[in-house]
Amino acid sequence: MKLHILTLRKTLNKAFLKVKPNRSDIEVFKANLTRLLNSMNDAESEEFHKNIVSDFLKKTHYDPNYFINTKGRNDLVIHNGNTATTTVGVIIEAKKPTNKAEMLTSEKVNAKALHELVLYYLRERIIHKNVEIKHLIATNINEWFVFDASVFDRLFAQNKTLVKQFTDFEEGRLADTKTDFFYKQIVEPFINENVTDIEFTHFNIQDFRKPLLNADKTDDNKLIPLFKILSPEHLLKLPFTNDSNTLDKRFYSELLHIIGLTETKEGSKKLIERKKEGERNDSSMLESAIIQIDSLDKISRLPNKSQFGETYQERLFNIGLELCITWINRILFMKLLEAQLLAYHRFDRLTAGKGNKEYEFLSFEKIKDYDDLNSLFFQVLARKHSERKENVKHAFEKVPYLNSSLFEPTDLEHNALFISQLQNIKPIPIFSQTVLKDSVGKKRTGDINPLEYLFEFLNAYDFSSEGSEDIQEENKTLINASVLGLIFEKINGYKDGSFFTPGFITMYMCRETIRRAVVQKFNEAKGWKCNDFAELKEDIQDAIKEGDRKKVRKEANEIINSLKICDPAVGSGHFLVSALNEIIAIKSELKILVDKHFEPINDYKVEVVNDELVLISLDDILFSYTPINKESQRIQETLFHEKQTIIENCLFGVDINPNSVKICRLRLWIELLKNAYYIQDSNSVQTLHATSLPELQTLPNIDINIKCGNSLVSRYPLNANLKTALKSKKWSIESYRLAIATYRNTNDKSIKREMEQLILNIKQDFTFEIRSNDPLKSRLDKLANELYNRFTGNFLFEPEVPYGMSEKDLEKKRKKEQDKLEKEIALLTKKMEEIKSNKIYENAFEWRFEFPEVLNNDGDFVGFDVVIGNPPYIRQEEFSEIKPYLKTKYEIYHPIADLLTVKFHKVVG
């Protein structure tokens, strides 16, 4: 029998490896583990040792949420709930340390302890129909053998012969009814004859004595894998803190309170609303914004104010909320940046023994009012160090220049309000369920300055989701980018409630669709005939072995980078982030994930686990960026530029909600931020230790890939002709693409504005050309020419009177024909004006030319390789206003069809 023995790190969910346990939990674990080891007594019975295992597990991880006790003949079971009536999740067979005859060893597993586990498992699985068993464990206190229940299911529960023998044994139809008979006569020979390989995790807790008893707390990191493998998150396969499917309700609720929002329930929907009249706090971010917008009469000066609602109050709320989302986006991004800098400089000699606290910049000490925050947005993060004014240079010395459009004023800020205009005078009450603690560790109460509240609230959480595996010394809860995406999806769906697509769905859909698309791309580009991804892997490896390795890797990357993926209802960008992760994982699996010199990243494996991108070494150590390490620098640079290339070339999104567009852009910028790196020269180590701060790689302007509009409604068809416009204006699709590429990557604001204008000019010319070729306009022009030439022009000669007709009759006839022409012209003019001014077209999205990446060089619309997403599931009763439009545009239109139907038809064809 072949034994596949897994280490602790190899066993643990790779995304779970990234979770930092709290110091308080580790101290409890250490105390209980020490007690367990000290309680072992060779003179005591097996029952005694079973009880100390039970006590250890209860006190460390499982009380009061998960019930642990005996069940029937089972030594111990861990239930999936807090009572004995809930299903069994873990089965444990406990032996005394001296019982070597019955215990498994790492060389021989076909022992009585395993036979007992098989019997107990079959009873649960076959008799009790329990499909919720997660793990099985055999232990003698020192040694632990942990089996995933899927292994037992495959080897034992799915074997019909064994199941029949088990059933016959249980019902007394065999030669003996004693369990030893079942073990010796049935299970042991079955394993010898049928089990060719078996996988399990093995560890000995005596190996952890040194870090356990060592007074040096830095050694405690070595206990983390043991702590995690015995946790309910692993043994019961529960969600954990950086799981993108899990909403941190405490963080979410208090953030809503600080903004000035509340969650209410309407039937099955959970809606986000402005707080009710008597509960509003004038100094909350939303209320302060609304007061200023109202008092400064900003709404009357806004262009297209109707897009913010029908009534004045509705507009006040929607404008205030959009501004708040913009500001909170920036603040949360900065919090993630701060956490990233702290992680990068945890061992930095520049800190000169002061720790890395000087990289903390989001605090009330440095930002006393909203004007300081405004300066941080636009005078610090948006400007190079050399361009910063003296008043901000010292306070924010360690804050890098990022370049991103995130730190440029939005049109709404220009037209309505900047954050500097908010009042920061009156305090607001602390949330009743606040995370903030007073000096004695009790929940804080009373009132607090709103900005001080925001910073203290954020500082109570851990935002450093990327980094080495260590212990959270301050016992903070982790908030990562995925959790923030889920929170913003909920806030953004305030009108109708929102459905956040769980990570396991986005991950699965992206894996299935993108891998098929990649296979198809290679087959088309190389003339291969791969049937699936496994065959593609073989063909690429053969090509690498047989040809110029760098050339093969370069070409393979170009093929994958030519993928075009679109989410036409992009929301918070969850699908696009999953797609980004999947493409990088695909490159790693194909062994074509390469640096700028086309050298592969061989010593690390990239996987998507729990919808998170995980980079792990061959010995199962998480990758952590250390700027002074050359290989770490190479990997970090590679990941950053891979993400940048994929986002710029492959990922596109549209949403009718401007807040969704902002949040999606933020999510993609955060993905880049995770792998931001210091720009280094040949003296990289010296650069990091010099007095001048090295520059962080700037973020590209990827906002242009995510656009606002109604992806269902277009004025112009996909086959509308652009050739005349391209010829007459001397544009080319290549120059259009170049303008967008220049916009994305420039750090110069004047060039960026120039590119914005150029892109706008190109699109306006396309619009003009398409309108010129509109059949309605062509007919109108023809009729207008006829009217002019026959009736309204200046004639050199009077029209000749036909033979037999009087001049009076001729005039009457001409008048009738002129009236007919003028009526048709008026009708067509009215129709064109209706189309032009129709509210349906207010947010129309022109797929025909908005994304030049999906046009060929002749300007023809080629389209996307993958269209993916979670479209709106809107019942037909709720969109009656646009039904006439849909009826004329879609062959598949049906009056009682869900909007999903036409959405799917629009983007897939």
Side-chain angles (χ1 to χ4, degrees):
M1 184 194 304
K2 189 174 182 181
L3 305 181
H4 300 282
I5 306 176
L6 304 178
T7 63
L8 297 183
R9 289 180 173 278
K10 185 72 76 177
T11 303
L12 289 166
N13 180 302
K14 302 303 183 290
F16 190 34
L17 279 176
K18 297 168 75 172
V19 176
K20 297 178 183 179
N22 285 335
R23 166 56 66 185
S24 58
D25 293 334
I26 286 292
E27 291 301 326
V28 169
F29 177 73
K30 287 169 63 180
N32 290 333
L33 183 57
T34 303
R35 191 177 301 111
L36 174 68
L37 292 174
N38 291 340
S39 297
M40 286 193 298
N41 187 335
D42 290 348
E44 290 289 352
S45 66
E46 193 168 282
E47 188 72 15
F48 169 85
H49 287 92
K50 176 181 71 178
N51 288 333
I52 63 171
V53 169
S54 175
D55 288 344
F56 164 68
L57 292 172
K58 286 177 183 178
K59 291 175 181 176
T60 303
H61 283 299
Y62 292 89
D63 269 355
N65 298 318
Y66 304 98
F67 187 70
I68 299 179
N69 211 325
T70 59
K71 184 185 180 186
R73 296 291 300 274
N74 298 4
D75 281 353
L76 282 176
V77 295
I78 304 174
H79 288 262
N80 288 306
N82 60 5
T83 68
T85 58
T86 56
T87 55
V88 169
V90 181
I91 299 171
I92 302 172
E93 177 61 28
K95 300 293 181 188
K96 61 187 294 186
T98 55
N99 187 352
K100 295 182 180 178
E102 296 182 357
M103 186 59 187
L104 294 72
T105 69
S106 55
E107 291 79 31
K108 183 187 176 186
V109 296
N110 198 358
K112 185 176 181 181
L114 179 63
H115 307 158
E116 290 170 311
L117 287 178
V118 172
L119 177 61
Y120 305 152
Y121 175 75
L122 291 176
R123 282 175 174 165
E124 280 293 323
R125 185 74 177 80
I126 305 302
I127 295 175
H128 299 299
K129 310 295 183 187
N130 182 4
V131 294
E132 296 183 55
I133 309 167
K134 312 300 194 320
H135 283 96
L136 299 100
I137 297 170
T139 180
N140 63 358
I141 315 298
N142 290 321
E143 293 198 86
W144 293 67
F145 293 80
V146 183
F147 299 86
D148 193 291
S150 63
V151 173
F152 271 54
D153 188 69
R154 175 177 58 85
L155 294 177
F156 307 120
Q158 298 302 322
N159 188 286
K160 293 179 181 178
T161 303
L162 179 64
V163 170
K164 185 178 185 309
Q165 288 180 311
F166 161 74
T167 306
D168 288 344
F169 169 76
E170 288 291 286
E171 294 177 2
R173 292 195 292 266
L174 298 185
D176 201 332
T177 57
K178 293 177 182 175
T179 53
D180 277 344
F181 171 82
F182 183 74
Y183 302 148
K184 282 289 183 185
Q185 302 301 318
I186 297 175
V187 182
E188 186 174 9
F190 175 84
I191 291 172
N192 280 332
E193 294 165 16
N194 297 283
V195 177
T196 56
D197 65 283
I198 189 166
E199 183 179 273
F200 56 90
T201 304
H202 171 247
F203 57 90
N204 190 324
I205 59 173
Q206 293 293 343
D207 297 339
F208 295 89
R209 266 193 179 274
K210 186 178 177 183
L212 178 65
L213 303 176
N214 192 340
D216 184 358
K217 287 193 174 184
T218 58
D219 265 2
D220 289 350
N221 283 1
K222 296 172 185 175
L223 297 171
I224 293 175
L226 180 63
F227 171 84
K228 288 181 177 178
I229 203 163
L230 296 173
S231 70
E233 285 82 3
H234 177 72
L235 291 183
L236 293 177
K237 299 185 179 180
L238 301 177
F240 40 87
T241 50
N242 73 336
D243 187 334
S244 62
N245 305 317
T246 307
L247 176 70
D248 189 298
K249 290 182 180 177
R250 288 182 69 191
F251 181 87
Y252 168 66
S253 300
E254 194 158 6
L255 180 64
L256 288 185
H257 172 76
I258 292 170
I259 295 172
L261 298 167
T262 187
E263 185 177 77
T264 60
K265 200 166 184 182
E266 188 180 286
S268 60
K269 288 181 182 178
K270 288 184 178 178
L271 308 180
I272 307 298
E273 296 177 343
R274 184 181 179 184
K275 286 193 173 185
K276 297 194 180 346
E277 280 276 1
E279 299 170 4
R280 293 171 188 168
N281 307 303
D282 287 351
S283 289
S284 70
M285 190 175 282
L286 177 64
E287 293 304 324
S288 184
I290 287 173
I291 289 167
Q292 290 293 89
I293 295 163
D294 182 35
S295 62
L296 297 172
D297 192 24
K298 289 291 186 178
I299 291 181
S300 66
R301 294 170 172 79
L302 278 176
N304 300 322
K305 60 180 76 70
S306 62
Q307 73 185 67
F308 296 103
E310 299 297 327
T311 68
Y312 183 75
Q313 287 301 319
E314 192 179 348
R315 289 171 186 173
L316 272 179
F317 173 69
N318 288 333
I319 293 167
L321 181 63
E322 185 171 334
L323 287 168
C324 286
I325 286 177
T326 297
W327 299 330
I328 290 291
N329 274 357
R330 289 180 185 143
I331 292 165
L332 290 175
F333 184 87
M334 290 190 299
K335 193 64 188 175
L336 290 166
L337 170 64
E338 182 186 72
Q340 200 87 325
L341 294 175
L342 290 167
Y344 289 175
H345 295 275
R346 58 194 178 278
F347 305 123
D348 195 343
R349 292 178 203 167
L350 275 174
T351 58
K354 295 181 291 184
N356 55 4
K357 295 294 183 184
E358 59 187 288
Y359 289 91
E360 292 179 355
F361 58 90
L362 278 182
S363 68
F364 195 55
E365 292 175 10
K366 293 188 176 181
I367 304 169
K368 293 290 187 185
D369 53 38
Y370 287 112
D371 197 46
D372 289 340
L373 198 52
N374 202 65
S375 297
L376 184 57
F377 290 166
F378 305 128
Q379 294 181 36
V380 178
L381 286 150
R383 290 183 182 271
K384 297 174 183 176
H385 283 88
S386 58
E387 298 172 356
R388 294 176 186 174
K389 294 181 179 178
E390 289 301 322
N391 65 319
V392 296
K393 262 188 178 179
H394 179 69
F396 303 112
E397 182 188 4
K398 295 293 193 288
V399 180
Y401 163 60
L402 290 182
N403 173 57
S404 162
S405 303
L406 182 63
F407 295 101
E408 289 183 359
T410 65
D411 289 342
L412 189 59
E413 283 176 305
H414 277 303
N415 293 325
L417 207 67
F418 283 91
I419 199 168
S420 55
Q421 294 171 272
L422 299 188
Q423 299 294 313
N424 188 44
I425 302 169
K426 283 179 63 179
I428 64 173
I430 294 173
F431 186 55
S432 60
Q433 300 301 315
T434 186
V435 70
L436 303 187
K437 299 285 191 293
D438 61 20
S439 57
V440 294
K442 289 187 177 181
K443 198 176 292 180
R444 279 184 63 175
T445 57
D447 295 343
I448 188 171
N449 176 285
L451 259 184
E452 184 179 6
Y453 189 4
L454 176 61
F455 295 141
E456 287 198 25
F457 163 70
L458 294 177
N459 200 44
Y461 290 89
D462 176 15
F463 286 80
S464 56
S465 58
E466 300 300 309
S468 59
E469 184 184 2
D470 52 19
I471 296 167
Q472 171 51 260
E473 296 293 345
E474 298 172 287
N475 297 326
K476 295 179 179 179
T477 302
L478 177 70
I479 299 291
N480 71 357
S482 298
V483 174
L484 290 178
L486 196 162
I487 286 168
F488 273 113
E489 185 84 7
K490 286 177 71 67
I491 293 175
N492 204 27
Y494 70 94
K495 285 183 179 176
D496 307 304
S498 62
F499 181 77
F500 182 80
T501 312
F504 69 89
I505 293 177
T506 63
M507 183 174 67
Y508 173 78
M509 287 175 66
C510 286
R511 179 182 174 88
E512 292 299 305
T513 54
I514 295 173
R515 287 178 181 242
R516 290 178 193 175
V518 166
V519 171
Q520 185 177 322
K521 277 282 183 186
F522 274 92
N523 285 345
E524 290 170 357
K526 304 288 292 178
W528 293 348
K529 295 180 179 178
C530 302
N531 293 310
D532 53 33
F533 193 77
E535 289 185 15
L536 177 63
K537 282 169 67 175
E538 291 178 11
D539 282 8
I540 288 177
Q541 290 314 303
D542 289 344
I544 289 173
K545 288 174 188 173
E546 295 167 7
D548 182 329
R549 294 183 178 186
K550 288 187 178 181
K551 186 177 178 182
V552 172
R553 292 185 189 119
K554 181 174 184 288
E555 184 185 10
N557 270 278
E558 288 170 353
I559 291 170
I560 292 178
N561 294 342
S562 70
L563 271 173
K564 299 292 179 281
I565 300 167
C566 181
D567 184 345
V570 77
S572 68
H574 196 173
F575 271 101
L576 293 189
V577 172
S578 292
L580 172 64
N581 291 340
E582 181 57 33
I583 293 172
I584 294 174
I586 284 170
K587 288 188 177 187
S588 176
E589 200 169 333
L590 294 176
K591 301 190 186 307
I592 58 167
L593 184 63
V594 293
D595 64 17
K596 59 189 174 185
H597 304 296
F598 299 100
E599 294 295 337
I601 306 297
N602 280 333
D603 295 335
Y604 282 85
K605 184 180 179 184
V606 179
E607 295 180 45
V608 180
V609 186
N610 282 54
D611 203 29
E612 287 278 315
L613 194 69
V614 178
L615 191 69
I616 196 158
S617 68
L618 300 179
D619 54 353
D620 298 311
I621 304 297
L622 282 171
F623 170 74
S624 177
Y625 176 48
T626 307
I628 59 173
N629 181 286
K630 190 175 180 181
E631 179 64 6
S632 176
Q633 178 75 15
R634 181 178 83 98
I635 292 169
Q636 187 79 341
E637 285 187 26
T638 298
L639 289 172
F640 181 92
H641 290 291
E642 274 297 329
K643 286 183 175 182
Q644 179 180 353
T645 299
I646 293 164
I647 292 169
E648 291 181 354
N649 290 282
C650 306
L651 305 182
F652 305 88
V654 182
D655 204 287
I656 195 169
N657 188 329
N659 292 335
S660 293
V661 170
K662 286 184 175 72
I663 292 161
C664 177
R665 290 168 176 171
L666 176 73
R667 288 293 306 278
L668 294 174
W669 271 313
I670 288 171
E671 290 307 310
L672 282 168
L673 178 66
K674 288 178 180 178
N675 296 105
Y677 64 89
Y678 283 107
I679 300 169
Q680 298 183 20
D681 54 25
S682 55
N683 301 313
S684 56
V685 176
Q686 287 79 2
T687 303
L688 279 167
H689 291 192
T691 52
S692 61
L693 193 71
E695 289 288 340
L696 205 67
Q697 174 64 38
T698 56
L699 300 178
N701 300 304
I702 54 174
D703 51 296
I704 202 165
N705 281 33
I706 313 299
K707 299 189 177 182
C708 192
N710 186 342
S711 57
L712 271 176
V713 178
S714 303
R715 285 187 174 90
Y716 314 119
L718 295 179
N719 61 356
N721 192 352
L722 295 182
K723 289 185 174 63
T724 311
L726 290 168
K727 188 180 288 185
S728 63
K729 296 295 180 181
K730 297 182 180 178
W731 300 127
S732 68
I733 297 301
E734 193 54 46
S735 65
Y736 187 12
R737 292 193 199 110
L738 181 61
I740 285 177
T742 305
Y743 172 90
R744 285 192 190 109
N745 294 294
T746 184
N747 289 341
D748 189 314
K749 284 185 171 52
S750 62
I751 294 175
K752 187 174 176 181
R753 300 288 88 84
E754 187 183 326
M755 289 303 104
E756 281 179 334
Q757 188 58 51
L758 177 59
I759 291 164
L760 180 63
N761 291 344
I762 292 172
K763 292 196 289 188
Q764 284 175 343
D765 286 340
F766 288 162
T767 301
F768 177 80
E769 181 59 36
I770 293 172
R771 282 181 178 169
S772 299
N773 293 326
D774 188 305
L776 282 178
K777 188 177 184 304
S778 299
R779 175 68 178 158
L780 186 61
D781 289 345
K782 184 179 178 182
L783 292 173
N785 284 333
E786 186 179 347
L787 180 68
Y788 179 82
N789 291 331
R790 290 183 57 195
F791 303 108
T792 61
N794 295 316
F795 304 112
L796 210 55
F797 302 100
E798 287 295 321
E800 188 176 336
V801 180
Y803 179 76
M805 180 181 286
S806 68
E807 285 189 15
K808 188 176 180 181
D809 288 341
L810 174 63
E811 186 61 31
K812 190 176 179 181
K813 180 185 177 188
R814 282 171 55 77
K815 183 74 172 67
K816 187 177 180 181
E817 289 173 351
Q818 182 177 343
D819 287 348
K820 185 180 177 183
L821 271 175
E822 287 175 344
K823 279 181 182 177
E824 189 173 355
I825 287 170
L827 190 67
L828 287 174
T829 303
K830 183 182 178 185
K831 193 171 184 180
M832 289 184 69
E833 284 302 316
E834 283 176 353
I835 290 172
K836 189 176 178 181
S837 61
N838 195 327
K839 193 175 179 182
I840 285 174
Y841 292 100
E842 190 173 66
N843 298 304
F845 187 78
E846 302 309 332
W847 293 99
R848 180 64 188 88
F849 52 73
E850 279 290 350
F851 293 124
E853 296 86 352
V854 292
L855 306 179
N856 65 20
N857 289 333
D858 293 327
D860 300 321
F861 184 84
V862 177
F864 299 95
D865 299 293
V866 175
V867 176
I868 195 165
N870 186 12
Y873 301 91
I874 299 175
R875 292 175 58 79
Q876 55 89 17
E877 297 91 345
E878 297 180 42
F879 57 90
S880 55
E881 184 183 355
I882 63 169
K883 280 187 177 181
Y885 169 83
L886 298 175
K887 188 174 183 179
T888 60
K889 294 291 182 181
Y890 297 96
E891 293 175 12
I892 64 161
Y893 172 78
H894 191 283
I896 60 169
D898 190 295
L899 191 62
L900 164 67
T901 311
V902 288
K903 186 84 172 181
F904 183 81
H905 181 258
K906 175 75 176 179
V907 296
V908 179

